[in-house]
Amino acid sequence: MRPVPSWPPMPGGAPIAQPPRRRASQVAIWWLMGVIGVLFGLMLVAYVMRMSLGDWRPLPSLPMLWLNTGVLAAACIVMQSSVWQAKRGELRRSRRDWTVAGVLALMFVIGQLWVWRDLVARHYGVAGNPANSFFFLLTGLHALHLVGGLVAWALLMPRAMSHGTRARRLSLTAQYWHFLLLLWLVLFAAMVNLTPEIAQRLCGVSQ
């Protein structure tokens, strides 16, 4: 008979059996990430195709995006630390790291709001140019999905939650956050490195 997988035991206690529904919840999070990934992939294709046209006016340099990227990466690192602490039964340390991760993720969202406000103040509003519109669309949708990740983070708040349930949900939430970090890195790299000339070569457009 195959042994029942379990989470590491709580200090002084017996191992907690891994509930069967974890497999279903894991598949669900994979499906969710797959759907979101396809959505953003299609939007990036549209971004490149639209950039290849002659009326594209790139946005100015936005150094704040680099800081926001570092904050989001730190949030994911601390969130993963919270997962490891929970699986070792270090609940106090896990909750501390969980709190710090949430604060950092919220700082990322606030940082994005600051970038949008700064662009509008500099007359780079949503309707000013196709480049502006795509920037607000891509970063806004990403921030919206991250807010969803913060909702999942907040649902881990109740202290009455069992150790096994908390560790399981924490692990799934961390996976979603890591996916959003990877997605943001792809978006950020596209916004920083792609130029109309590169887009025209990719699309086979000659000017």
Side-chain angles (χ1 to χ4, degrees), residues 188-199:
F188 185 46
M191 290 184 291
V192 170
N193 296 304
L194 283 179
T195 64
E197 293 73 23
I198 294 175

Side-chain angles (χ1 to χ4, degrees), residues 9 13-14 23 38 46 61 63 69-70 81 89 98 104 112-115 125-126 152-153 165 171 176 193 200 203 206:
R23 183 173 299 174
V38 170
S61 177
T69 301
S81 174
W98 166 85
L104 289 170
Q112 295 295 76
L113 289 172
W114 188 93
V115 170
V126 177
W153 169 87
T165 299
S171 178
Y176 181 67
N193 296 304
Q200 290 163 12
C203 297
S206 59

Side-chain angles (χ1 to χ4, degrees), residues 72-84:
L72 184 58
C76 290
I77 292 172
V78 179
M79 190 66 166
Q80 186 60 46
S81 174
S82 180
V83 174
W84 291 332

Side-chain angles (χ1 to χ4, degrees), residues 59-126:
L59 289 170
S61 177
L62 299 169
M64 184 67 180
L65 289 181
W66 290 93
L67 177 60
N68 289 350
T69 301
V71 169
L72 184 58
C76 290
I77 292 172
V78 179
M79 190 66 166
Q80 186 60 46
S81 174
S82 180
V83 174
W84 291 332
Q85 299 293 349
K87 289 185 176 182
R88 287 199 294 264
E90 299 286 347
L91 301 185
R92 180 174 297 178
R93 293 181 180 178
S94 175
R95 184 170 288 277
R96 177 202 63 195
D97 289 347
W98 166 85
T99 302
V100 173
V103 171
L104 289 170
L106 184 59
M107 287 174 59
F108 173 83
V109 175
I110 294 173
Q112 295 295 76
L113 289 172
W114 188 93
V115 170
W116 300 332
R117 181 179 179 276
D118 180 60
L119 282 174
V120 172
R122 294 161 67 181
H123 306 290
Y124 290 96
V126 177

